């Protein structure tokens, strides 16, 4: 496993919070880490999974584009997106998956930038987290990380843990989760882009200790002393 060293310090000012990209495979614990960072350190998270759902709400340009590409059969009777039908389509056809990503990726990126700008305008925190499940895949396609990210933190878990967590959360079979894992970037590919690795193979106390070690050097001294008591 990659060495989990705290990233080098950046200059922190109220006008320029550090933006951290958080990524990891399905079921690796991204939501757990995001919630702990919010609860313990008051670090807000921009969740691209949430954004991905918002850009295909009824009467949005995103949903209209998806329907144009894949047909009305991907809609529920109330006009909302049938995510299961669409998921089944893209996980069985690589070209369809690429087409969907080409539609959604620009919409998601624009929304991330909007939310970052909004957070920075109102009493900006020292750190902002952007949870991006497919960050590794995006970097592989573009050859560079998103310009708004200062650091990348990768959550690492075993294949068995991913299957257990994701199958319970998503009410899916282990075989379905394994298929998703096989279509995502490999563990080695994710670790290769990491500025820091969060090992989520232990218990919650282990996880918290790692987060403390990563966060403390990035926070202003007074703020750090207050929240790490």
């Amino acid at each position: 496993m990659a060495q989990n060293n705290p990233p080098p310090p950046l200059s922190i000012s109220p006008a320029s919070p550090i933006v951290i990209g958080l990524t990891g495979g399905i079921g690796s614990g991204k939501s757990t880490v995001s919630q702990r960072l919010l609860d313990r350190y008051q670090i807000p998270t921009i969740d691209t999974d949430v954004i991905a759902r918002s850009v295909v709400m009824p009467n949005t340009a995103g949903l209209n584009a998806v329907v144009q590409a894949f047909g009305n059969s991907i809609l529920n009777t109330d006009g909302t997106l049938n995510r299961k039908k669409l998921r089944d389509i893209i996980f069985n056809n690589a070209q369809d998956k690429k087409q969907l990503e080409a539609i959604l990726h620009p919409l998601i990126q624009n929304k991330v930038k909007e939310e970052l700008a909004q957070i920075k305008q109102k009493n900006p925190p020292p750190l902002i987290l952007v949870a991006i499940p497919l960050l590794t895949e995006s970097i592989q396609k573009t050859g560079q990380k998103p310009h708004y990210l200062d650091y990348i933190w990768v959550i690492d878990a075993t294949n068995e843990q991913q299957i257990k967590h994701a199958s319970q959360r998503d009410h899916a079979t282990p075989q379905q989760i394994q298929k998703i894992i096989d279509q995502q970037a490999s563990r080695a590919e994710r670790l290769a882009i990491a500025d820091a690795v969060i090992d989520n193979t232990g218990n919650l106390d282990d996880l918290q200790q790692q987060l403390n070690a990563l966060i403390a050097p990035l926070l202003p001294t007074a703020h750090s002393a207050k929240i790490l008591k």
Side-chain angles (χ1 to χ4, degrees), residues 18-120:
I18 293 174
V19 181
I20 299 167
L22 181 71
T23 193
I26 185 172
S28 60
K30 294 181 293 295
S31 296
T32 298
V33 169
S34 297
Q35 192 61 51
R36 282 184 166 257
L37 290 172
L38 177 62
D39 292 344
R40 183 71 185 271
Y41 312 108
Q42 296 82 55
I43 297 172
T45 295
I46 296 172
D47 189 334
T48 58
D49 270 349
V50 173
I51 291 175
R53 290 191 288 271
S54 74
V55 299
V56 288
M57 293 291 286
N59 302 315
T60 60
L63 182 58
N64 291 339
V66 172
V67 170
Q68 186 174 359
F70 297 98
N72 288 324
S73 65
I74 62 167
L75 293 176
N76 294 310
T77 55
D78 61 359
T80 58
L81 179 64
N82 187 318
R83 299 180 188 283
K84 183 180 184 305
K85 282 188 179 180
L86 183 59
R87 184 168 60 244
D88 290 342
I89 291 171
I90 65 172
F91 281 127
N92 289 298
N93 187 307
Q95 190 56 44
D96 285 340
K97 184 171 182 285
K98 289 180 181 178
Q99 185 177 12
L100 180 65
E101 290 172 350
I103 294 169
L104 297 184
H105 184 76
L107 298 174
I108 294 169
Q109 290 301 304
N110 287 339
K111 187 64 175 175
V112 169
K113 293 172 188 176
E114 287 177 14
E115 293 195 11
L116 278 171
Q118 290 171 2
I119 293 173
K120 291 178 179 181

Side-chain angles (χ1 to χ4, degrees), residues 79-221:
T80 58
L81 179 64
N82 187 318
R83 299 180 188 283
K84 183 180 184 305
K85 282 188 179 180
L86 183 59
R87 184 168 60 244
D88 290 342
I89 291 171
I90 65 172
F91 281 127
N92 289 298
N93 187 307
Q95 190 56 44
D96 285 340
K97 184 171 182 285
K98 289 180 181 178
Q99 185 177 12
L100 180 65
E101 290 172 350
I103 294 169
L104 297 184
H105 184 76
L107 298 174
I108 294 169
Q109 290 301 304
N110 287 339
K111 187 64 175 175
V112 169
K113 293 172 188 176
E114 287 177 14
E115 293 195 11
L116 278 171
Q118 290 171 2
I119 293 173
K120 291 178 179 181
Q121 283 173 359
K122 340 173 177 166
N123 191 24
L127 303 173
I128 302 171
L129 196 73
V130 183
I132 311 175
L134 301 181
L135 178 57
T136 306
E137 292 84 345
S138 175
I139 291 174
Q140 288 173 335
K141 289 176 183 176
T142 64
Q144 59 185 359
K145 69 181 180 183
H147 68 87
Y148 51 79
L149 295 181
D150 297 309
Y151 295 131
I152 295 173
W153 291 358
V154 172
I155 306 175
D156 190 39
T158 67
N159 191 86
E160 293 75 18
Q161 287 173 312
Q162 289 181 254
I163 291 173
K164 179 181 178 181
H165 295 161
S167 60
Q168 291 175 347
R169 180 194 66 200
D170 299 341
H171 306 291
T173 66
Q175 292 76 18
Q176 289 172 321
I177 300 302
Q178 184 62 59
K179 187 170 185 179
I180 294 173
I181 290 173
D182 292 341
Q183 292 185 345
Q184 292 185 339
S186 70
R187 186 181 187 187
E189 288 170 333
R190 283 194 295 271
L191 295 178
I193 70 165
D195 294 304
V197 177
I198 300 169
D199 181 354
N200 198 21
T201 59
N203 57 39
L204 290 177
D205 287 339
D206 294 334
L207 178 62
Q208 190 63 60
Q209 289 178 10
Q210 292 178 76
L211 294 179
N212 289 347
L214 286 170
I215 290 293
L218 299 178
L219 293 177
T221 303

